[in-house]
Amino acid sequence: MIFGSPEAWGTAVYWWSIPLVLGDAIFPPIPSEMLVITGGALAAEGRINPWLLGAIAALCSWLGDVLVFQLFRRQLSSVLDRWGWGRRVHRGIHRALERAGRSSAYGAITGARFLPGGRLACSAAAGIGDVTARGFSFCAAIGAVLWAIWLVGLGYFTGSATRLPFWASSLIGVGVGLAVGAVLGLIITKRRGNRSPVVEPGTED
């Protein structure tokens, strides 16, 4: 594949988005965002269908989140309970969810995917906590759709506005996306006062 040629990408973007977006739920360094933005830039050139790409990205994002949620809900949380520090972390997550309230927890499930590493952290915390499977699935679906629209739209907009080669438009879109995520992360950190809601091992109430 010649990476600088739009013809070489074609429908391959659809197929690559499936494992990358799914894998990103478990391993955040996987560059799924870059691929989806690149697909948006290709759509601006008329190479692919942005609606199909968005649907695939949203579906895979939702499936990956549900997978992580179920793993932590049914398997990994019981593993944590085998050790004292794991039980303290487990109880800390429950208390954090109680303090935040259900509306805040569901809002985090919807929006956390826009922060670096937020998708995995929030899905895992929801699985360990008392968030219902139905509530998580619904909020994760909304977040997945918004995430896909944002990334495909970002790539499409940069491609249409700059008229640069698709790979250059993709890099610009990735830069904008990282900047937005960093700003959101700073705002959330500042509002929380840099305090973690999870009780660390060895700490007391």
Side-chain angles (χ1 to χ4, degrees):
M1 176 185 288
I2 302 174
F3 289 94
S5 170
E7 291 80 8
W9 286 75
T11 56
V13 173
Y14 301 133
W15 295 108
W16 275 109
S17 65
I18 296 173
L20 291 185
V21 176
L22 280 171
D24 185 27
I26 300 173
F27 190 63
I30 293 178
S32 63
E33 291 88 352
M34 177 176 284
L35 180 69
V36 179
I37 291 173
T38 300
L42 285 168
E45 297 183 1
R47 303 288 179 178
I48 64 172
N49 187 323
W51 299 106
L52 178 57
L53 175 63
I56 293 173
L59 177 61
C60 291
S61 177
W62 177 77
L63 288 174
D65 291 346
V66 170
L67 174 63
V68 172
F69 173 80
Q70 292 294 343
L71 283 175
F72 275 84
R73 190 183 189 199
R74 301 184 180 216
Q75 301 290 337
L76 297 186
S77 60
S78 62
V79 173
L80 281 179
D81 288 339
R82 295 178 183 178
W83 295 279
W85 65 266
R87 288 191 293 271
R88 285 193 292 272
V89 171
H90 198 159
R91 289 195 300 269
I93 291 175
H94 280 283
R95 286 195 293 269
L97 289 172
E98 289 173 2
R99 288 196 300 267
R102 285 291 175 263
S103 60
S104 296
Y106 290 140
I109 293 168
T110 303
R113 71 195 62 248
F114 293 94
L115 303 175
R119 184 179 172 199
L120 172 60
C122 194
S123 298
I128 294 174
D130 290 329
V131 177
T132 65
R134 180 178 296 180
F136 177 86
S137 297
F138 178 73
C139 292
I142 294 176
V145 171
L146 294 176
W147 178 82
I149 291 174
W150 161 246
L151 293 182
V152 174
L154 186 58
Y156 192 94
F157 175 78
T158 54
S160 300
T162 63
R163 296 298 179 182
L164 293 171
F166 79 96
W167 57 267
S169 299
S170 173
L171 291 176
I172 294 173
V174 169
V176 173
L178 289 174
V180 171
V183 171
L184 288 176
L186 288 173
I187 293 173
I188 292 174
T189 300
K190 189 173 182 179
R191 289 185 61 185
R192 287 182 178 177
N194 294 318
R195 294 181 58 191
S196 172
V198 178
V199 175
E200 298 294 337
T203 62
E204 301 295 335
D205 291 341

